[in-house]
Structure formats: C-alpha cells, structure tokens
C-alpha cells in the first residue's frame, strides 16, 4: 500500500501546483470569481451566487498549542477571518481546556448536546464512527459530499486510496478529512547524531547496530566535547520515541507495539526478536552507552543535556529537535551540528522499520446529528479543499504571510523572520493551520519552507529510506472490540513499559523474558490481536 501512496499522492500535489499557478496569475489578495465557478471550487457547475453557505455554525476543536500561545480562539486566525469574508459564515469556536480534550470530548458525546461541527482525532474515540452514526451523534457524509463537495470529491476521485482510508468498515465517510498530500509529509521523526563529534573522532555515519555501538563507545571514551571530562552521554533512550519510530528494535523487523506483517497482526514485545533487542539495550546501558537517568529525565532536562554539549545522539523531529537544538546550542558550541542518521539494520544493506504516518490518521471534521443545515456546512468545509481554500489554509493571506514567486507560495518574513520574534510555528498559527491539522490537504511546500536548514531536509530524506510496509493502517475496532480490549491494552502497556525499563537497567534479568511474555499473554493480548486482525481484514476488504 505504501508504494501505491507515492503514486496517488503525486496526483494531489500536481493538482495543487496547478491550482497555485492559476491562483497566482492574478496576483491579488482577493480570489477572482469566474463565471460558472464557485470561489475555491475546481470548476463546479454552480455559480458563486448559487452557493448557500451557513449564516453561522458552532465548531468544537482542540486549541493547538502554537495557536494558543498568542490567541484564545481559532476565530483569530487570519485564514478563518478571511474565510468568513468569503463565505459570510460566522463561526463560534468551542475549545476544551488544554489537557482535558479527551475527557471533554467523551462528556460531550455522552450528553448529546453537540455543536454543529466536531473536529477530533476520531481514531481515539471510545466508540467507532459507525456506532456514533447509529447513535445519532454524527452523520454519514457520503451523499452530502457527493452532492455538495466538488473539491473533496475530486481529491478522492484522483486518490482512491484516500477514499479507502477515510471510509469505515460499514462504508460510511464520517469526516471532512485531514490528508497528508505528499510522501515528504509522512516521515517526521528519527535518529540524530552529533555530526561534529563524528568528524572530530574520524568516525563514519553508522548504518548497522554494530557500527552504532562503535560510535557510542567512542562518544563515551574519546572526549568529543573536549572538556577533558568523561561526561558525555552517548545515547538518550525513550519508550515514547521507541513507540514513535521503532529505533533499534526495527532492526529485527518488528515494532514495539502492533504491526502488520503481510496482512497478519503481530505484537512486537511478545516476539522472540524483542528479547534480542532488550539484551542489546541492556548491554549498552550496562556499558554506559545509554543515559543512565533516561527514565527520570523530563523534557527540560533532556534539552539541557543536548545544549550543554553532553548528549551525542537521540530520536527527535526536524523542527523541535534539529532546528531548535541547533539554535539553542550554537551560541556556546559554534561547531554544534545535528544530522539525521539512517535507521540501523543488523547487517549492511538491511531495511529496518522506521517512523511513517499514513496520509489519514482519523483526524477530521464531523458534522453532528444536531446540525440544522448539514448541506450548507459541507459546502463551507469543502471550500478548504479547493484552489483558494487550499492556499488560504496552507499559506495564509497573499501579500501578508506569503507571496507568489514563479507560481510558488513563498512565506514572507512575517512567518520566517517574525518582527515580534515569534517562533516560526507560532507565526504560522496566526495565519493558517498547515503546521498542525484540520479539514485540509496539507501541502508539502509548507514543510519545504518550515525546514529552513539543509540538515532538516536531509534528515527526512534519510529516514524515508526505512521500511514502512508494516505500518498499521487506520483500522477501526467495533464498539464491542474496543470495549473488550481497551482495558487489556491499558494494562499491557503499563506492564510492558515497566518491564522494558527493568530489563534495560538490569533489575530484571533477560533470562526472565519468557515470563514477561507469559504475563502479557495472561493479560489477554491474544484477544487484542484477534480484534485488530478482524479490523485489518475488514479494512483490506473495503472498496
């Protein structure tokens, strides 16, 4: 499926590029209304006068942290202000308190007192979308999209795999989806190393576990930070990072959680290879190659270890990791350079597992059964998938947050060198939503510019070479399956995390791995695997 994605997503980007060229020709901030077309549409039959958008609507959505840093509501975002001008629709945004999003969502759904639009990560909802449709909490959108959303309809027609991803097992489309429009947007996390340390010690970039051990040992012993103290921390381990990108465990072809091996669901921690992974990590920990305090290191302390010129390698993102750490460390360590490293295999030429995000992960805007005018709301949401809407929500206001240069929407200094000294992500949030999510097709030209450093772009390209075919698609458990297995997986994850730390730190001998597996099995992991296998089979049978 992943190989097919590369072909499919090329189509949507090609469409977007054409849209940009068309929109860029006028060079005006306000969209040009052509006869026979609706602003933002890709050539529908109705004229702009024929389109009836809602006068007003209520919209429940979590407040992204970058937006929340400078604003109280999405209504303050320039793209939404402009959308109100273009459609006449006034939106009352409802944001749950930060940190309480999941609880507030569950309470809202249970109460039945619903806003018109609910934007959420629906894959994490306690009940699947099919159940919520049957319970009249949200509505089926298939026919509404076909009749009232020409822009999204075209995206789905051009990309059949998108339609499969956003459709439930019972054939329902339940959201106007957030879609990743290019392969470049799907790989955003991986291993990084101090390139200046490698150069100082005349070491090559490691590509196997053995080479990683050689590099980490040199970081420990050869004083790469040059302070004549043995204070270097070769590698920072994190269970969260392990779950995100499968670093090191992926060398054995397994994941730290569920994965899809040729259509068969497996749970990595109970596979024999997981014992070998734990034994390797335990050896590295004992030998001082892994941060001895990793289990009690919070984000602030981890940052300090990087910027104090002590940490040699970790897993991170191109933006909040490579770029941020470089900016923080350069003033005191001018030679500081973080670069993306290949995911290591057991031997040269292996293709280990790496981080990969499916183009649809369950994020999108659903319309509640309480909404009085769903047809108009679908038309309003569909604006974002058209030419002008795509530009508006990926780049903001032409002439303010971006300018067209040879058909390319280039961010201005308001974004890239903000006069109020806002970080790029916060500056972006004042104008558009592309840096997080929402009912749009995310444009790769957003991330091309967000990655201001060549190290960021090169890291993403390096990580993209890992194996992605075992990534779980967005399967949907039934309400019964979810009810049966949610408590099982809560218990399993708590136990798994505790035991991973014990095995690595040596308080639990690796010889007890079989007991570890037996305990997980006694908790009901086979039932959870069975439920996910049924869900994967249903997913594969979708049309």
């Amino acid at each position: 499926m992943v190989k097919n994605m590369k072909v499919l997503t090329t189509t949507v980007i090609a469409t977007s590029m054409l849209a940009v060229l068309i929109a860029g020709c006028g060079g005006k901030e306000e969209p040009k209304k052509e006869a026979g077309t609706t602003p933002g549409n890709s050539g529908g039959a109705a004229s702009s006068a024929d389109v009836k958008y809602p006068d007003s609507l209520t919209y429940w959505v979590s407040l992204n942290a970058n937006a929340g840093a400078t604003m109280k509501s999405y209504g303050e975002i320039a793209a939404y202000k402009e959308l109100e001008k273009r459609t006449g629709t006034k939106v009352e945004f409802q944001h749950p308190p930060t940190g309480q999003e999941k609880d507030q969502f569950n309470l809202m759904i249970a109460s039945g007192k619903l806003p018109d639009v609910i934007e959420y990560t629906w894959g994490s909802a306690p009940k699947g979308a099919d159940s919520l449709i049957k319970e009249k909490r949200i509505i089926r959108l298939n026919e509404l999209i076909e009749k009232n959303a020409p822009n999204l309809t075209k995206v789905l027609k051009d990309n059949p795999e998108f339609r499969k991803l956003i459709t439930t097992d019972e054939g329902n489309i339940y959201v106007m989806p957030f879609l990743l429009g290019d392969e470049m947007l799907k790989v955003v996390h991986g291993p990084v190393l101090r390139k200046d340390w490698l150069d100082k010690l005349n070491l090559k970039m490691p590509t196997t576990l053995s080479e990683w051990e050689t590099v980490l040992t040199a970081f420990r012993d050869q004083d790469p930070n040059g302070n004549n103290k043995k204070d270097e921390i070769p590698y920072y381990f994190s269970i969260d990072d392990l779950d995100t990108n499968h670093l090191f465990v992926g060398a054995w072809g397994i994941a730290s959680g569920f994965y899809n091996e040729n259509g068969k669901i497996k749970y990595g921690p109970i596979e024999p290879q997981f014992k070998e992974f734990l034994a390797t990590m335990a050896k590295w920990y004992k030998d001082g190659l892994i941060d001895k305090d990793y289990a009690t290191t919070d984000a602030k302390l981890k940052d300090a270890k990087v910027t104090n010129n002590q940490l040699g390698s970790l897993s991170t993102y191109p933006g909040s990791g490579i770029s941020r750490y470089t900016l923080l460390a350069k003033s005191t360590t001018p030679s500081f350079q973080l670069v993306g490293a290949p995911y290591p295999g057991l031997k040269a030429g292996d293709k280990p597992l790496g981080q990969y995000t499916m183009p649809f992960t369950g994020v999108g805007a659903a319309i509640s059964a309480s909404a009085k005018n769903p047809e108009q709301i679908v038309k309003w949401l569909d604006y974002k998938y058209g030419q002008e809407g795509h530009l508006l929500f990926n780049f903001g206001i032409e002439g303010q947050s971006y300018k067209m240069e040879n058909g390319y929407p280039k961010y201005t200094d308001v974004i890239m060198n903000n006069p109020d000294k806002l970080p790029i992500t916060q500056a972006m949030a004042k104008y558009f939503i592309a840096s997080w999510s929402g009912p749009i097709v995310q444009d790769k030209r957003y991330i091309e510019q967000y990655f201001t450093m060549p190290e960021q772009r090169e890291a993403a390209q390096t990580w993209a070479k890992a194996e992605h075919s075992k990534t779980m698609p967005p399967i949907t458990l039934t309400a019964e399956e979810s009810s049966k297995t949610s408590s099982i997986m809560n218990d399993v994850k708590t136990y798994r995390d505790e035991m991973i730390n014990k095995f690595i730190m040596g308080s639990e001998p690796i010889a007890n791995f079989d007991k570890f597996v037996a305990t997980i099995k006694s908790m009901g992991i086979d039932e959870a695997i069975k439920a996910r296998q049924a869900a994967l089979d249903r997913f594969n049978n979708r049309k």
Side-chain angles (χ1 to χ4, degrees):
M1 178 166 60
V2 172
K3 290 181 180 178
N4 291 338
M5 289 294 184
K6 295 180 180 179
V7 177
L8 295 167
T9 52
T10 300
T11 306
V12 75
I13 289 303
T15 303
S16 298
M17 289 294 288
L18 178 60
V20 169
L21 289 170
I22 294 171
C25 290
K28 296 180 180 180
E29 185 176 328
E30 291 297 320
K32 185 177 180 181
K33 298 180 182 180
E34 298 178 6
T37 19
T38 301
N41 288 354
S42 51
S47 69
S48 58
D50 294 331
V51 178
K52 174 61 176 174
Y53 297 111
D55 294 328
S56 63
L57 58 86
T58 50
Y59 195 123
W60 190 96
V61 58
S62 299
L63 183 65
N64 177 267
N66 287 309
T70 62
M71 295 172 283
K72 293 182 179 180
S73 166
Y74 280 3
E76 300 175 57
I77 297 174
Y80 274 116
K81 290 180 179 178
E82 181 63 23
L83 184 62
E84 181 178 336
K85 292 179 184 177
R86 298 182 186 183
T87 64
T89 302
K90 294 185 180 296
V91 182
E92 177 194 327
F93 285 101
Q94 301 173 0
H95 301 296
T98 302
Q100 299 179 32
E101 293 87 354
K102 185 176 181 180
D103 290 341
Q104 291 297 313
F105 172 83
N106 292 339
L107 287 171
M108 176 179 64
I109 292 294
S111 72
K113 297 178 180 178
L114 306 174
D116 296 317
V117 179
I118 306 170
E119 183 181 318
Y120 193 61
T121 305
W122 292 90
S124 64
K127 295 181 179 180
D130 289 325
S131 295
L132 293 172
I133 289 172
K134 290 173 185 175
E135 293 176 4
K136 300 189 184 305
R137 293 297 188 263
I138 60 175
I139 63 174
R140 170 183 162 100
L141 298 179
N142 304 50
E143 293 77 18
L144 287 168
I145 288 172
E146 184 178 342
K147 294 178 182 178
N148 303 286
N151 300 309
L152 179 57
T153 296
K154 186 177 190 312
V155 170
L156 298 179
K157 181 179 179 181
D158 292 344
N159 301 272
E161 192 64 25
F162 286 175
R163 177 177 286 276
K164 180 178 179 179
L165 289 171
I166 70 170
T167 302
T168 70
D169 298 330
E170 295 183 16
N172 295 312
I173 295 176
Y174 60 101
V175 291
M176 304 291 276
F178 173 63
L179 296 166
L180 302 179
D182 189 82
E183 287 294 305
M184 184 179 182
L185 298 159
K186 300 168 190 174
V187 178
V188 295
H189 197 276
V192 298
L193 283 158
R194 285 287 296 273
K195 176 67 162 54
D196 51 320
W197 285 14
L198 290 176
D199 293 343
K200 183 176 181 178
L201 303 180
N202 294 314
L203 297 167
K204 68 175 184 178
M205 178 66 72
T207 61
T208 65
L209 286 179
S210 176
E211 290 173 357
W212 263 84
E213 186 168 336
T214 298
V215 165
L216 297 181
T217 302
F219 284 179
R220 180 194 66 190
D221 296 338
Q222 297 182 30
D223 193 29
N225 67 12
N227 66 356
N228 296 315
K229 298 178 183 179
K230 199 170 182 178
D231 61 347
E232 287 85 356
I233 301 168
Y235 171 64
Y236 172 79
F237 174 83
S238 160
I239 291 178
D240 286 343
D241 291 339
L242 176 67
D243 287 340
T244 299
N245 65 25
H246 323 302
L247 179 61
F248 299 131
V249 72
W252 282 274
I254 64 173
S256 61
F258 293 105
Y259 62 101
N260 169 23
E261 188 167 82
N262 298 319
K264 184 178 181 181
I265 296 293
K266 293 188 175 182
Y267 185 65
I270 62 173
E271 295 296 315
Q273 301 96 314
F274 202 74
K275 180 179 181 179
E276 298 178 50
F277 160 72
L278 291 173
T280 300
M281 294 298 102
K283 179 182 183 298
W284 286 9
Y285 185 85
K286 183 179 179 181
D287 292 345
L289 305 185
I290 293 175
D291 184 357
K292 63 182 178 65
D293 299 319
Y294 78 83
T296 57
T297 297
D298 60 15
K300 187 175 181 180
L301 184 54
K302 182 177 72 170
D303 287 356
K305 291 176 180 181
V306 177
T307 57
N308 289 343
N309 202 20
Q310 288 181 281
L311 191 56
S313 61
L314 70 157
S315 292
T316 192
Y317 297 91
S320 60
I322 293 175
S323 175
R324 186 171 67 90
Y325 284 140
T326 301
L327 292 173
L328 290 172
K330 277 285 189 182
S331 59
T332 54
T333 310
S335 63
F336 185 97
Q337 186 181 18
L338 274 182
V339 296
Y343 283 90
L346 296 179
K347 61 183 186 300
D350 283 355
K351 195 173 182 182
L353 272 64
Q355 180 272 326
Y356 183 84
T357 305
M358 287 287 176
F360 176 69
T361 59
V363 177
I367 298 176
S368 78
S370 305
K372 303 298 184 186
N373 48 358
E375 299 89 354
Q376 295 177 13
I377 294 174
V378 166
K379 292 176 183 178
W380 180 81
L381 288 165
D382 187 57
Y383 185 91
K384 299 176 185 179
Y385 299 94
Q387 296 167 8
E388 290 86 358
H390 181 81
L391 284 171
L392 182 61
F393 283 88
N394 278 280
F395 304 100
I397 309 298
E398 186 174 0
Q400 296 180 32
S401 57
Y402 78 96
K403 293 182 179 179
M404 278 295 181
E405 293 189 2
N406 298 318
Y408 190 101
K410 186 175 180 180
Y411 294 129
T412 65
D413 281 347
V414 167
I415 303 298
M416 305 305 296
N417 188 22
N418 186 264
D420 297 324
K421 307 300 182 185
L422 292 177
I424 290 177
T425 48
Q426 291 183 19
M428 287 178 166
K430 290 179 73 68
Y431 283 89
F432 49 85
I433 66 173
S435 63
W436 62 93
S437 62
I440 62 170
V441 177
Q442 190 182 46
D443 195 308
K444 74 170 184 176
R445 292 166 297 176
Y446 135 74
I447 210 163
E448 285 174 348
Q449 297 176 78
Y450 175 57
F451 290 169
T452 57
M453 300 169 56
E455 290 89 346
Q456 293 173 286
R457 295 186 289 273
E458 290 164 7
Q461 292 167 2
T462 297
W463 300 334
K465 296 174 183 176
E467 177 62 53
H468 302 140
S469 65
K470 296 183 180 182
T471 301
M472 289 288 291
I475 59 173
T476 304
L477 299 179
T478 65
E480 182 180 3
E481 289 166 344
S482 179
S483 176
K484 283 184 177 180
T485 64
S486 59
S487 61
I488 291 173
M489 289 316 302
N490 285 337
D491 292 343
V492 166
K493 185 180 187 310
T494 299
Y495 176 71
R496 183 208 66 163
D497 291 357
E498 176 187 345
M499 292 303 294
I500 285 175
N501 287 335
K502 285 185 175 182
F503 281 128
I504 291 176
M505 293 179 177
S507 62
E508 188 79 24
I510 298 296
N512 286 348
F513 179 77
D514 289 346
K515 293 180 181 178
F516 164 73
V517 172
T519 301
I520 291 180
K521 283 183 172 291
S522 72
M523 290 177 167
I525 191 63
D526 288 338
E527 182 76 21
I529 292 173
K530 181 181 177 182
R532 281 156 180 78
Q533 185 66 57
L536 179 63
D537 293 343
R538 292 193 298 269
F539 174 86
N540 289 333
N541 288 328
R542 292 178 187 176
K543 296 179 180 179

